[in-house]
Every structure is written in structure tokens, then in C-alpha cells.
Amino acid sequence: MERILGKTKDEWIQAFPLIEKLILTEEVFWSNPKYQDFERAIQHVSLGIKDVRDAEERLKRFSPYLARAFPETKEMNGIIESPLKEIPVMQSSLENYFSKKIEGKMLLKCDSHLPISGSIKARGGIYEVLKHAEDLAIENKLLSTEEDYSKLDNDTYRKFFSNYSIVVGSTGNLGLSIGIISAKLGFNVTVHMSADAKKWKKDLLRSKGVSVIEHELDYSVAVEQGREQSQKDPNSYFIDDENSTHLFLGYAVAASRLQKQLEAQDIIIDEEHPLFVYLPCGVGGGPGGVAFGLKLIFKDHVHCFFAEPTHSPCMLLGLLTEQHDKISVQDVDIDNKTAADGLAVGRPSGFVGKTLERLISGVYTVEDDQLFAYLSMLAQTEDMYLEPSALAGIAGPTRLFTELEGRTYIDKNQVTDKMKRAVHISWATGGSMVPKEIMDEYMERGLKVMNE
Ligand SMILES: *Cc1c(COP(=O)(O)O)cnc(C)c1O
């Protein structure tokens, strides 16, 4: 009998009956029994607000460079940020479709429309490359933090950076972010893509001068190969999607920006106005970093839920069993095959799981067909076009109110009578770069699901 970390599959199911539903790829909603009040939970975390501020300052230093190198960021003065939009028509469509009232107000955080690479990866991915570039330039006495960084947009610097390489393994979007920014700065950049990465993403990268290496296996293999290639070369820097604190902090900066957007829209978050945020999760860095930043600011007033495809519930499996990166969905015979390519990850980040194990409110899973239904519904109601992965967060508010574990969570956290004033933010993690003909196929599949 094959064993997984000393137990048979049946013994794992016996210890955690939810695993049986995960194996059947049924949609589930799990509320985290280890969730704790912020002040207690944060005692277990070594990163803090100072680290996030440091990342925020670094991004500010780079803003003159970004404004110059990427004209689409000029209007925002080189700050890579996305709109926060109310989606009332979508909200009532969801209420009708599922015959369930969503108490409170739904908003969409449109990272799908972040400049430069059109996904949440434009936060962490770009941040880590900028940090590395800054470190190299400062070490070599070519830059000081007091200077205007727009000087980096120059052949002298591109020639300097061309002595160094950057390597990353990706299901697609991280490769896009890292590839585009690294190539622009002048680095040699190689992206190891997993089998599920979309062809258009590989083509786009090659057109920007990025080396793309294709792997027949999944994301974890692409990452491993990238890591090995990078270790052979002392001038090579590997961006470690599974363990990087820099990526994580780059994502976390989203929180203070969101706080300002909420204030500008007169949306209050406090004891009487709870905030619920629903984040699509792959390896965990993106949603983890954003959730961490939000908890530092809104503390117990924010409730963060992660969303995964039914075929790739890696973070849920890791948190549930407390085995984090030691267990993969394939270990329990889940195939990790999903159309949500950004979320097609079988083994979660151990760093993210352990950092957030007391801060995440819960995790739910969504069927691929449902992602497409949401995709076409959002397009028809709000004229917003997202990629399938990005729709996982849209399911959140409905699921919170329809699922027993969701309603129990509301009661247990004593927000039942506050829900009519709640704010629900679905994090739309990507989509604006999807070519039109592919988006048309997505729409078609979504409409088919809805008409069945
Ligand atoms: C990468 C990605 C995510 C999830 O981020 P992780 O850091 O892998 O958890 C969600 N949505 C989209 C579109 C992505 O590309």
C-alpha cells in the first residue's frame, strides 16, 4: 500500500473527511479552524508592516523609471495600480442566477487591467526584478537611492544588466511579468513554462526577446528545472515563486493602495462595516501577499478567503492537513488539470501556508465550468473580460451565503447583523492581455454552461 507521509490515502480521508470530496472534485467550502484574532495570529509571523513599507518605498523610487520605460504607466506617475469598481449589475445577476441574496455590496479589484502585464503578477513579479536591479546597481556603485531612477532607462544600464540573467518557472502570468520587465531593463531572461501555459503567452514573451523553455510536465517541474539552471551560473538570479518573500511583499503593497481607493470612494471599513475579500489562489504568493497586507491594515475587520479550482485545491489540502508543501494534490490522486492555468498548481508554497495559517478565514473550490459561466456573466453585465482563473474570486459572496460553513463563519465571527453593510471585494487577477479570438472561445463556453 502506497503511503503519503506515513499514512495511507484512506487514513488521510479518515482524519480529514473533506479530502474525500476534494478527490471527487466536488465544490467545497472550508472555514479555517485555526483562524484567530489578528493580534494573536500576527505573533507567529516574522514579516511586518515595516517590510511592506520598505517595498512600497522601493516602488516609489522606481516610479520615474516605470513612467518612462512604460508610457502606459505615465498617467499614474509610474505607479502600477488597478481600478476598484462597483459591479451592481453583476451582483443582481448572481442573486437571480443562484436565487440567493448577497448582503452588502460587491466590488471588483481589476488587477486584470494592471499596466505592463495585465495580471496580479505585475505586483510581485515586477517588484522582485526591480529590487534585484536596484541591489546590483547599488552594489556596483552605479546608483544611489537618492537619485532619479529614470536614468536606468539608458543603454549604459542595459549593457550593465546584460551581464546578469534572471530565471523563473511559471504557468504563464508570472513569466509574462518577469519576462517583460527583465527584458526592458536589459537582463538576459529565461522563463520555464509548464505544459498548461497558453501558447499566446509564450509567443508574446518570445516577441520581447525572452527565452522560453517549454516543459511537458506541470508547474512544479518547470520551477525545479529553472532553479537547477540558475544554480549553475553565479550571475543568474532565480525568482522562486514557491518561497520568495520579495514577491510576497510586492503583492502586499496592494493593501495600502486599496485602502486609499476605498477612502476615495467613501467606503468605510470598520467594526460595523466588515470587508470580505476573495482571492484566486495558485501557489499562494499573490493571494497570500495581498491578504497579509490587508490583515496588517484592517486587522479583524477584513476576512480573506482563497479560491481554487476543484482540480487543483493545493492550498486547501496543505492548510487542512497542516502538511503545507509536503503534500500535493497528486498525492491523493487529484489530477491538477484545470482550464484556470494561473491556478494549475499541485503543491502550495509552504512559506505562504505557514505564514498565513492563522490569518486566512477559509478556502473554497470552484468547478471549471462555473468559472466560464461567471466569465460570460461578468462580460454581459459589466463589460469586463477576465481570464478563467480570475473568476474564482467572483464565486465568493454567493458561496459565503449559500454554504453551511460560510454561514457558520459569519455567525461565529459575530458579523451576522452587519452583513447588510458588508463590502465584498472579488480580486480579478488577470485577463486584459488575452487575445480576442481566445476570449471569444471562453465566452462561448461560458454561455453554453449558462444555457444548460
Ligand atoms: C498567478 C495567478 C493567480 C494566483 O497567484 P499565486 O501566487 O500563484 O497563488 C491568480 N490568478 C491569476 C490570473 C494568476 O496568474
Side-chain angles (χ1 to χ4, degrees):
M1 193 78 193
E2 199 183 329
R3 286 175 184 270
I4 311 146
L5 301 164
K7 285 197 183 100
T8 64
K9 195 165 99 183
D10 285 343
E11 284 165 348
W12 277 110
I13 293 171
Q14 220 160 38
F16 303 100
L18 189 68
I19 293 178
E20 182 145 44
K21 290 200 175 141
L22 295 183
I23 294 172
L24 294 169
T25 64
E26 283 176 22
E27 289 192 339
V28 303
F29 190 105
W30 175 77
S31 82
N32 179 6
K34 290 178 87 172
Y35 180 68
Q36 258 182 353
D37 62 87
F38 175 79
E39 295 304 339
R40 272 196 300 161
I42 203 69
Q43 304 292 320
H44 300 270
V45 182
S46 57
L47 294 168
I49 191 84
K50 258 184 62 195
D51 303 297
V52 184
R53 293 255 164 79
D54 176 59
E56 200 171 345
E57 288 306 311
R58 184 164 292 106
L59 287 169
K60 264 191 213 143
R61 290 199 290 278
F62 271 99
S63 59
Y65 166 76
L66 293 171
R68 206 167 123 160
F70 298 95
E72 71 265 37
T73 68
K74 203 164 167 202
E75 204 181 321
M76 307 263 288
N77 298 316
I79 296 295
I80 303 169
E81 198 41 72
S82 73
L84 175 69
K85 272 183 58 167
E86 291 193 19
I87 45 169
V89 190
M90 179 66 177
Q91 181 168 353
S92 43
S93 278
L94 285 168
E95 291 175 335
N96 290 334
Y97 190 73
F98 292 100
S99 309
K100 190 77 196 175
K101 170 127 188 85
I102 295 170
E103 292 178 51
K105 178 159 63 177
M106 264 185 93
L107 291 103
L108 196 66
K109 180 58 177 159
C110 307
D111 276 10
S112 45
H113 291 69
L114 278 173
I116 302 180
S117 69
S119 83
I120 189 171
K121 305 298 193 308
R123 298 184 183 277
I126 290 176
Y127 172 73
E128 182 156 0
V129 174
L130 294 177
K131 168 147 193 350
H132 182 57
E134 184 185 56
D135 288 347
L136 285 174
I138 291 178
E139 268 166 36
N140 288 276
K141 307 214 171 12
L142 294 168
L143 185 70
S144 83
T145 53
E146 279 73 45
E147 284 179 282
D148 179 341
Y149 281 22
S150 61
K151 71 189 273 192
L152 296 174
D153 186 30
N154 173 293
D155 281 341
T156 314
Y157 284 93
R158 281 187 282 273
K159 189 149 178 283
F160 167 70
F161 289 127
S162 74
N163 296 313
Y164 298 89
S165 38
I166 290 187
V167 178
V168 68
S170 167
T171 61
N173 285 343
L174 186 64
L176 277 186
S177 283
I178 305 274
I180 292 171
I181 186 71
S182 302
K184 189 65 114 184
L185 280 159
F187 285 107
N188 280 307
V189 52
T190 306
V191 178
H192 291 257
M193 290 271 199
S194 52
D196 37 45
K198 296 278 176 282
K199 182 172 179 299
W200 68 266
K201 292 181 182 175
K202 298 175 197 166
D203 293 344
L204 179 67
L205 279 174
R206 289 191 171 117
S207 78
K208 307 236 177 221
V210 175
S211 314
V212 177
I213 299 181
E214 299 179 49
H215 293 274
E216 277 172 27
L217 292 166
D218 78 355
Y219 161 86
S220 304
V221 178
V223 170
E224 219 24 67
Q225 297 285 317
R227 199 191 310 268
E228 271 172 34
Q229 183 208 335
S230 188
Q231 275 165 354
K232 288 186 198 140
D233 175 0
N235 281 348
S236 175
Y237 182 81
F238 176 65
I239 299 207
D240 189 346
D241 196 16
E242 291 170 331
N243 297 295
S244 168
T245 50
H246 303 311
L247 274 177
F248 187 81
L249 292 170
Y251 290 120
V253 171
S256 60
R257 309 249 187 96
L258 180 75
Q259 182 184 33
K260 289 197 195 96
Q261 289 181 317
L262 288 165
E263 282 167 11
Q265 296 180 28
D266 291 321
I267 298 170
I268 300 166
I269 305 301
D270 63 12
E271 181 77 37
E272 293 306 313
H273 304 77
L275 173 61
F276 287 76
V277 183
Y278 309 94
L279 297 142
C281 178
V283 72
V290 171
F292 178 66
L294 289 171
K295 291 304 283 188
L296 289 173
I297 292 178
F298 298 109
K299 303 190 166 71
D300 294 328
H301 304 142
V302 65
H303 306 268
C304 299
F305 289 88
F306 286 10
E308 297 189 301
T310 50
H311 286 255
S312 304
C314 67
M315 186 57 74
L316 172 47
L317 185 66
L319 288 169
L320 172 72
T321 59
E322 302 184 31
Q323 298 298 330
H324 304 292
D325 55 338
K326 292 200 203 69
I327 195 162
S328 75
V329 301
Q330 291 96 336
D331 284 341
V332 293
D333 301 329
I334 303 171
D335 61 9
N336 189 31
K337 288 200 171 27
T338 168
D341 52 335
L343 313 182
V345 178
R347 188 184 296 279
S349 159
F351 153 65
V352 171
K354 283 172 220 162
T355 301
L356 296 180
E357 62 186 351
R358 296 173 179 84
L359 291 163
I360 298 177
S361 293
V363 186
Y364 61 87
T365 61
V366 190
E367 274 180 7
D368 277 19
D369 269 350
Q370 289 299 310
L371 297 177
F372 286 96
Y374 293 127
L375 188 150
S376 58
M377 205 191 278
L378 188 67
Q380 289 181 325
T381 55
E382 307 283 350
D383 199 27
M384 286 287 296
Y385 292 80
L386 308 184
E387 61 186 275
S389 301
L391 276 306
I394 284 282
T398 306
R399 298 289 293 282
L400 182 72
F401 289 107
T402 50
E403 303 246 7
L404 180 60
E405 286 237 4
R407 294 196 304 269
T408 310
Y409 177 90
I410 292 173
D411 290 340
K412 217 167 71 190
N413 285 276
Q414 298 164 4
V415 286
T416 314
D417 51 352
K418 300 172 185 170
M419 290 311 286
K420 54 184 172 298
R421 295 183 295 275
V423 177
H424 303 273
I425 298 182
S426 294
W427 214 276
T429 45
S432 62
M433 292 179 83
V434 177
K436 174 151 189 328
E437 62 277 16
I438 294 179
M439 190 56 82
D440 289 345
E441 288 169 24
Y442 290 163
M443 278 295 288
E444 207 173 301
R445 177 163 171 194
L447 293 171
K448 218 173 115 202
V449 174
M450 284 181 64
N451 292 328
E452 263 165 14

